């Protein structure tokens, strides 16, 4: 051995199996694609909410600003009989948008759908 090799510090080379490298790359690719899917789904969700709001304004002829007056919880599950009614599931949280004459209020659920709900099905707390 020469003088240069005598003082050279030996460091082990860390080698990875080819399969492990490929697996790691595929995991990284999946994580990157999940980021883009999240952004895409949020865009789709906002488009859906805009579509529901447009449908609400056309159906109910509601031209005022949409403001939440109160929040309520559905006491029981109620299916909708018409498109203007909002189907309820027990324990669902709703935003009360407007109180109309009679026993019904206009509500919005977590999915962004609007519709009439009878006051007797709601619990205001």
């Amino acid at each position: 051995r020469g003088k240069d090799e005598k003082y050279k510090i030996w460091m082990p080379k860390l080698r990875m199996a080819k399969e492990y490298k490929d697996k790691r790359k595929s995991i990284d690719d999946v994580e990157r694609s999940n980021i883009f899917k999240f952004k895409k789904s949020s865009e789709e969700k906002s488009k859906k909410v805009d579509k529901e709001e447009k449908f609400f304004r056309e159906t109910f002829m509601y031209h005022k600003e949409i403001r939440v007056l109160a929040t309520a919880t559905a006491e029981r599950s109620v299916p909708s009989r018409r498109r203007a009614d909002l189907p309820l599931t027990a324990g669902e949280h709703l935003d009360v948008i407007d109180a109309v004459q009679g026993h019904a209020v206009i509500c919005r659920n977590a999915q962004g759908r609007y519709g009439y709900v009878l006051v007797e099905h709601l619990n205001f707390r």
Side-chain angles (χ1 to χ4, degrees):
R1 293 188 176 188
K3 290 182 179 180
D4 295 336
E5 291 182 21
K6 186 177 180 182
Y7 298 107
K8 195 172 188 180
I9 299 172
W10 181 79
M11 296 290 288
K13 289 189 177 180
L14 301 174
R15 297 180 188 227
M16 280 190 232
K18 188 175 182 180
E19 301 90 33
Y20 180 74
K21 273 186 178 180
D22 294 340
K23 188 184 282 187
R24 196 175 79 187
K25 284 181 183 178
S26 67
I27 291 170
D28 291 342
D29 293 341
V30 168
E31 288 176 358
R32 285 190 187 118
S33 66
N34 284 345
I35 293 170
F36 297 119
K37 285 182 183 177
F38 175 74
K39 289 181 182 180
K40 187 177 178 182
S41 67
S42 64
E43 289 174 7
E44 289 173 359
K45 192 173 184 179
S46 66
K47 286 180 184 178
K48 184 178 180 183
V49 169
D50 291 340
K51 183 181 173 185
E52 286 290 339
E53 184 177 330
K54 183 180 177 185
F55 180 79
F56 163 70
R57 289 189 182 278
E58 290 172 358
T59 305
F60 294 88
M61 292 181 271
Y62 195 84
H63 302 293
K64 299 184 270 184
E65 179 185 352
I66 297 175
R67 290 189 352 209
V68 177
L69 302 177
T71 56
T73 307
E75 290 183 339
R76 66 194 113 194
S77 297
V78 180
S80 64
R81 294 192 180 116
R82 338 171 258 167
R83 176 63 173 116
D85 294 337
L86 187 64
L88 299 177
T89 56
E92 181 179 19
H93 295 285
L94 302 168
D95 296 329
V96 178
I97 304 299
D98 196 6
V100 287
Q101 301 131 353
H103 299 285
V105 291
I106 297 174
C107 293
R108 175 179 60 200
N109 64 7
Q111 289 82 31
R113 278 194 66 190
Y114 296 85
Y116 288 116
V117 178
L118 294 176
V119 177
E120 59 200 40
H121 299 304
L122 299 176
N123 184 9
F124 294 93
R125 283 193 181 174

